[in-house]
Amino acid sequence: MTRPEPKQVKAMTEIAGVPQNAEVAARIANSIGPAFDGFAPVSGTLPMDLEPASYLLVQRAKVSK
Amino acid sequence: MSGEPALMSLVSVAKAIAAKKFSSREVTQSCLDRIAQWQPRVNAFMAIEAEQALAAADAADVALAKGNNLGPLHGVPLAHKDMYYDAGKVVTCGSKIRRDFVPTTTSTALQRLKDAGTVRLGSLQMVEFAYGPTGHNPHYGAVRNPWNVDHITGGSSSGSGSAVAARLTFAALGSDTGGSIRMPAHFCGVTGFKTTVGLISRAGAMPLSQSLDTVGPLAQTVEDCALLVGLMAGADPEDPTTSSQPVPNYMAATTGSLKGLKIGVPTAFYVDDLDSEVARVLDETIATLKSEGAEIVKVELPDQRQLTAACQIVLATEAAAFHKRWMIERPQDYGAQVLMRLQNGLAIPGVTYLEALRWRGPALAAYLAAVTGTDAVIAPVAPIPAATIAESDVGNSLDAEAVIQRITKFTRPINYLGLPSLSIPTGFTKAGLPVGMQLIGRAFDEAGLVRIGAAFQRATDYHQQVPKAA
């Protein structure tokens, strides 16, 4: 996973229905880029049999010390 | 009983009213006197409802005289972050867009406090739509830190932190999606309790991120927070995400000692790149916990940078979804920084967002495995003490997000994991600014954090320090 470029961001905002100009797109790319970098080691590595509700199973399980 | 009632803790003043040592009117007037003194300096209140508060206080006194005690907070005046819906009252959410918004329902958390007998003082300032960690607000002005009014309060529960620190209210509801209770608690020198996701109903609380939002209090003491959390926690049909488990007696946990408890100190991330005074206070806090009987152990946590990134992805996406309609129809009515941060969410693909949500379970399991054998982990709330309002006024500049991420780097991982975290005052800088530390617990083990925090406050007096009016 790589951080989106300003041109890609601009296209994504149009697809999302809230189109932004090139300047705003560049600012978004700059702002959100580090989150993409930080999450890159995880992205694309998760097993198929895992869905968001698995969080609740872990959170509400009795975890002994 | 002599002295200024507004300086008492929540638990103490509630007992004093119940015992008729003070009337609710005397207590409410004491708060209003301090509000009149401090509000021009700190801008902590969004609305001050003096006449209505005194009338409600009188009604509480009449009820008590007739033997009708409504509950453990009978006649206690409180004000809360202006995002908790209170039917018939304007709830601005710190925004221009909701400047005149009047909800028709009351939030469950607020209603449970009302049912316990509280009196409404008014409402407290906040960051626009709770989306910012500093306390700036382009619509209503920055809230100022009572310890030094040139400095930030932290956000987004900026008014809550400032008002509790200046003793304008005995406690205040905040909300914590990325650190918004713990940050003001740290910067303003008060106690703040970010609760486990699912412990307290979010019904009627303005949403920012449905996966991360939590309700919790800021107050003088851990004991005060324990009382409030106990009153608010528990299943709510209006919010099916709340746990159906019985609510523990958190007040009972306030008397436990630290003997036999293990507290983990991270070997990395939370101890890296700290301001020297924050590092000093962390060392002093660890020493105090040890002297009170806790065993201090090192813990090697999984990579916390990935958690902060995942948190940012989830928060940005969900916030953008909540605000999409207004981003289309009323973009000019947002402050520049909040609009910029909302726009960030437009650039996150659905697959990435869902990956971040799917990873939450394994990430929590890995964290819990790393802290096996400990009762809590201690860490700074932020790497720095309160910056000045001027230097942190970054708006929507190119480095704004980087500044925000640095301030919130120690709080966001905990939001992503959904864990409880208790922020306690633990010292001061040489310049007199407060420094707080967070105790991070297991899901739904708020009682364990209460036990540690209360024991620390019995051994120290940082939580009893009150800023002086100029």
Side-chain angles (χ1 to χ4, degrees):
Chain A
M1 188 176 76
T2 56
R3 59 164 68 194
E5 295 295 325
K7 278 186 180 177
Q8 295 170 310
V9 169
K10 189 169 185 306
M12 291 169 79
T13 64
E14 288 164 3
I15 293 165
V18 194
Q20 304 297 324
N21 62 34
E23 182 187 346
V24 172
R27 194 166 57 212
I28 293 171
N30 178 69
S31 288
I32 204 69
F36 280 78
D37 295 340
F39 194 61
V42 178
S43 184
T45 68
L46 300 176
M48 182 182 173
D49 296 318
L50 180 68
E51 61 136 317
S54 67
Y55 168 73
L56 292 177
L57 294 176
V58 179
Q59 190 212 33
R60 300 184 183 192
K62 294 281 183 192
V63 180
S64 69
K65 283 169 60 183
Chain B
M1 185 176 275
S2 61
E4 197 176 353
L7 298 179
M8 299 172 76
S9 73
L10 174 79
V11 170
S12 298
V13 83
K15 286 179 182 171
I17 292 172
K20 299 180 184 172
K21 292 177 179 172
F22 282 123
S23 67
S24 176
R25 171 173 268 269
E26 288 173 314
V27 171
T28 303
Q29 188 62 61
S30 178
C31 290
L32 290 170
D33 290 345
R34 288 188 69 84
I35 292 168
Q37 180 185 24
W38 277 92
Q39 173 66 8
R41 301 184 66 223
V42 296
N43 189 30
F45 273 74
M46 185 69 80
I48 302 165
E49 300 170 5
E51 287 182 18
Q52 300 96 315
L54 289 170
D58 287 342
D61 288 333
V62 169
L64 195 61
K66 291 178 179 173
N68 184 16
N69 188 327
L70 290 180
L73 294 178
H74 185 102
V76 176
L78 296 180
H80 304 293
K81 187 176 187 178
D82 197 24
M83 55 165 273
Y84 288 94
Y85 299 174
D86 194 348
K89 299 280 186 184
V90 171
V91 178
T92 68
C93 305
S95 69
K96 180 179 178 181
I97 290 174
R98 280 195 154 177
R99 186 183 290 274
D100 302 314
F101 171 61
V102 179
T104 55
T105 58
T106 297
S107 80
T108 299
L110 190 58
Q111 187 60 53
R112 288 179 178 178
L113 296 184
K114 284 184 171 190
D115 292 343
T118 60
V119 165
R120 178 183 163 103
L121 276 171
S123 58
L124 296 173
Q125 260 262 45
M126 58 182 284
V127 173
E128 182 181 15
F129 290 119
Y131 207 7
T134 60
H136 292 83
N137 186 310
H139 310 296
Y140 302 98
V143 183
R144 295 177 177 274
N145 192 318
W147 292 96
N148 184 331
V149 294
D150 292 330
H151 287 252
I152 61 170
T153 56
S156 63
S157 309
S158 48
S160 302
S162 182
V164 172
R167 307 303 192 246
L168 313 184
T169 178
F170 295 97
L173 287 180
S175 66
D176 198 316
T177 304
S180 288
I181 287 174
R182 290 162 289 163
M183 217 85 66
H186 157 59
F187 289 136
C188 295
V190 302
T191 305
F193 211 167
K194 180 241 177 276
T195 53
T196 305
V197 168
L199 182 73
I200 299 177
S201 168
R202 282 109 38 109
M206 180 212 77
L208 177 61
S209 161
Q210 72 268 23
S211 300
L212 306 173
D213 289 343
T214 52
V215 172
L218 295 93
Q220 283 187 41
T221 70
V222 171
E223 188 183 40
D224 293 345
C225 288
L227 175 61
L228 291 166
V229 170
L231 290 169
M232 294 186 289
D236 175 20
E238 299 297 320
D239 179 358
T241 68
T242 48
S243 167
S244 58
Q245 293 298 307
V247 178
N249 182 353
Y250 300 117
M251 291 298 278
T254 60
T255 56
S257 83
L258 298 187
K259 288 190 172 59
L261 299 188
K262 280 187 183 176
I263 298 175
V265 178
T267 55
F269 187 75
Y270 294 99
V271 293
D272 299 337
D273 303 323
L274 297 182
D275 172 273
S276 61
E277 299 215 71
V278 173
R280 169 181 59 79
V281 172
L282 174 60
D283 289 343
E284 292 169 357
T285 305
I286 292 168
T288 300
L289 293 169
K290 198 171 180 181
S291 69
E292 290 300 306
E295 182 182 349
I296 306 298
V297 297
K298 299 282 187 190
V299 289
E300 290 188 26
L301 301 176
D303 191 334
Q304 301 290 288
R305 293 169 302 178
Q306 294 169 8
L307 301 179
T308 62
C311 183
Q312 192 180 356
I313 287 167
V314 172
L315 172 53
T317 311
E318 294 182 354
F322 276 120
H323 284 267
K324 182 176 174 182
R325 178 174 168 183
W326 287 332
M327 289 168 73
I328 295 169
E329 296 177 353
R330 304 182 63 177
Q332 73 282 0
D333 290 335
Y334 285 102
Q337 185 179 96
V338 169
L339 180 60
M340 175 197 79
R341 301 192 74 199
L342 290 171
Q343 288 166 336
N344 287 345
L346 301 172
I348 297 168
V351 170
T352 304
Y353 165 67
L354 277 170
E355 277 189 301
L357 281 181
R358 291 172 67 227
W359 187 53
R360 213 175 175 199
L364 177 58
Y367 175 90
L368 293 174
V371 301
T372 296
T374 68
D375 294 279
V377 169
I378 187 161
V381 175
I384 55 172
T388 66
I389 290 171
E391 72 185 329
S392 56
D393 190 12
V394 291
N396 65 349
S397 63
L398 264 183
D399 66 341
E401 192 65 39
V403 170
I404 290 165
Q405 297 305 318
R406 174 151 197 259
I407 294 173
T408 58
K409 67 184 286 192
F410 295 160
T411 50
R412 278 180 294 127
I414 314 310
N415 291 90
Y416 181 70
L417 297 175
L419 297 171
S421 176
L422 177 64
S423 175
I424 50 174
T426 49
F428 290 87
T429 67
K430 287 173 186 164
L433 292 169
V435 175
M437 295 291 152
Q438 57 177 332
L439 293 160
I440 305 157
R442 285 185 176 69
F444 299 106
D445 187 24
E446 275 76 4
L449 299 183
V450 165
R451 178 179 172 183
I452 298 168
F456 181 85
Q457 292 190 336
R458 281 198 301 276
T460 61
D461 66 356
Y462 303 116
H463 60 290
Q464 294 172 334
Q465 304 302 311
V466 184
K468 302 281 188 290

